[in-house]
Amino acid sequence: MGTGTVVSGRVRKDLSRTNPNGNIPPESRSNSRKKKIQRRSKRTLISPVQKLVDTCKKVFANAKSGTVPSQDNIQMLRAVLDEIKPEDVGVSPKMPYFRYKVTGRSPLVTYLHIYACHSFSIGIFCLPSSGVIPLHNHPEMTVFSKLLFGTMHIKSYDWVADSPQPSSDTRLAKVKVDSDFTAPCDTSILYPADGGNMHCFTAKTACAVLDVLGPPYFDPAGRHCTYYFDLPFSSFSVDGVAVAEEEKEGYEWLKEREEEPEDLTVTAMMYSGPTIKE
């Protein structure tokens, strides 16, 4: 047995390695300091998703309808999103959300809720191959989208300001993006008035998209999600609207849908990735 010291009736085994003078050897003090440093390092290690939530709290601290974060804050959040990998948020192409069962309808889209408050929301859209999120808007919002894996076609639009309208529910829009994107790629950002505020996602392969909305949808504040039909420019002839022949393909009329698309089915599921602390 090692020697011990009786303290209030208990034997302290931690003093069993004292030297003849009763002092703790230098190597023991050094090992103790190293262990304390290691424990502190473990306590201060922040997961990528926790870092994302904490960054969003700073970026959207004063989020209101139509308010765009400063450029410094936008770049700070974009840098955090650019570094996030699928495993950081607990998603993989092998998960059942990404399996397409042929049913004669559009594939089911799954939304994994990560975090939400009045200032912002974070979630992941999981789309099987051929899955579609129809054309919709983001009124008065700034949105960051990070393609985690897969190949997706994105078509987006911005409104043409002050353009005459053929009807109250139809407006002219300019095509902003109409391309395929394959992960890994840069985080995309759309703004209240530009950057492709209306967009449609079509999965070419199984895809996962990490979305940050600031502020989030909220009907009482006027941030209602509206879906649209996209119609060729030639569909209407409106006085005061003139576009050069070679540019007509870059413009389309967006007509509001009265109801959500019938072929859109989104199932909400709880996020099961790394724990997030307040």
Side-chain angles (χ1 to χ4, degrees):
M1 288 182 64
T3 61
T5 301
V6 177
V7 180
S8 300
R10 294 174 295 174
V11 176
R12 291 206 16 215
K13 294 294 183 180
D14 58 314
L15 300 184
S16 61
R17 293 187 58 204
T18 54
N19 63 20
N21 296 323
N23 298 320
I24 299 176
E27 64 273 14
S28 296
R29 292 197 297 270
S30 177
N31 290 337
S32 177
R33 282 195 296 270
K34 288 180 181 178
K35 289 179 180 178
K36 287 181 180 178
I37 292 173
Q38 290 172 351
R39 285 196 295 269
R40 282 199 298 269
S41 297
K42 289 180 180 179
R43 285 197 299 268
T44 57
L45 184 63
I46 300 175
S47 69
V49 71
Q50 182 70 57
K51 185 177 181 181
L52 173 60
V53 171
D54 292 345
T55 302
C56 286
K57 288 179 180 179
K58 297 176 184 177
V59 172
F60 297 111
N62 300 308
K64 296 179 181 178
S65 293
T67 301
V68 177
S70 69
Q71 278 302 310
D72 286 346
N73 280 339
I74 287 172
Q75 295 309 318
M76 177 172 63
L77 181 50
R78 171 181 255 167
V80 172
L81 283 163
D82 282 345
E83 294 298 319
I84 289 183
K85 301 176 177 60
E87 56 269 27
D88 294 330
V89 287
V91 293
S92 160
K94 296 181 180 179
M95 298 173 80
Y97 312 131
F98 303 102
R99 298 173 191 158
Y100 175 35
K101 295 180 181 179
V102 180
T103 61
R105 293 174 57 87
S106 294
L108 178 73
V109 175
T110 302
Y111 180 75
L112 303 179
H113 168 80
I114 295 179
Y115 188 92
C117 61
H118 72 280
S119 297
F120 65 91
S121 65
I122 305 173
I124 302 170
F125 284 99
C126 305
L127 291 80
S129 179
S130 301
V132 176
I133 298 179
L135 182 61
H136 62 285
N137 68 345
H138 307 83
E140 304 298 309
M141 299 155 65
T142 302
V143 179
F144 296 71
S145 296
K146 163 73 174 183
L147 184 61
L148 295 169
F149 60 77
T151 296
M152 174 176 285
H153 185 85
I154 299 176
K155 189 170 185 178
S156 66
Y157 305 81
D158 288 319
W159 295 122
V160 175
D162 303 320
S163 173
Q165 299 177 225
S167 62
S168 61
D169 62 355
T170 304
R171 293 179 62 183
L172 184 63
K174 180 177 176 58
V175 177
K176 179 72 174 181
V177 173
D178 190 6
S179 303
D180 288 348
F181 293 84
T182 300
C185 55
D186 292 340
T187 298
S188 64
I189 307 172
L190 62 85
Y191 304 94
D194 59 21
N197 188 276
M198 289 77 66
H199 65 199
C200 172
F201 290 166
T202 304
K204 297 295 187 179
T205 68
C207 293
V209 183
L210 176 60
D211 255 8
V212 176
L213 282 61
Y217 289 110
F218 187 54
D219 287 359
R223 298 192 299 272
H224 173 71
C225 183
T226 301
Y227 291 89
Y228 300 90
F229 295 106
D230 52 331
L231 306 172
F233 179 79
S234 59
S235 300
F236 299 97
S237 178
V238 180
D239 290 341
V241 177
V243 175
E245 188 65 33
E246 64 273 14
E247 296 179 3
K248 287 183 178 180
E249 289 188 0
Y251 291 85
E252 295 182 10
W253 298 98
L254 303 189
K255 179 180 176 60
E256 291 183 18
R257 293 184 181 229
E258 294 182 358
E259 298 178 354
E260 289 189 4
E262 293 181 359
D263 57 351
L264 173 64
T265 305
V266 179
T267 299
M269 301 290 288
M270 291 305 297
Y271 161 77
S272 59
T275 303
I276 296 170
K277 298 179 181 179
E278 288 291 345

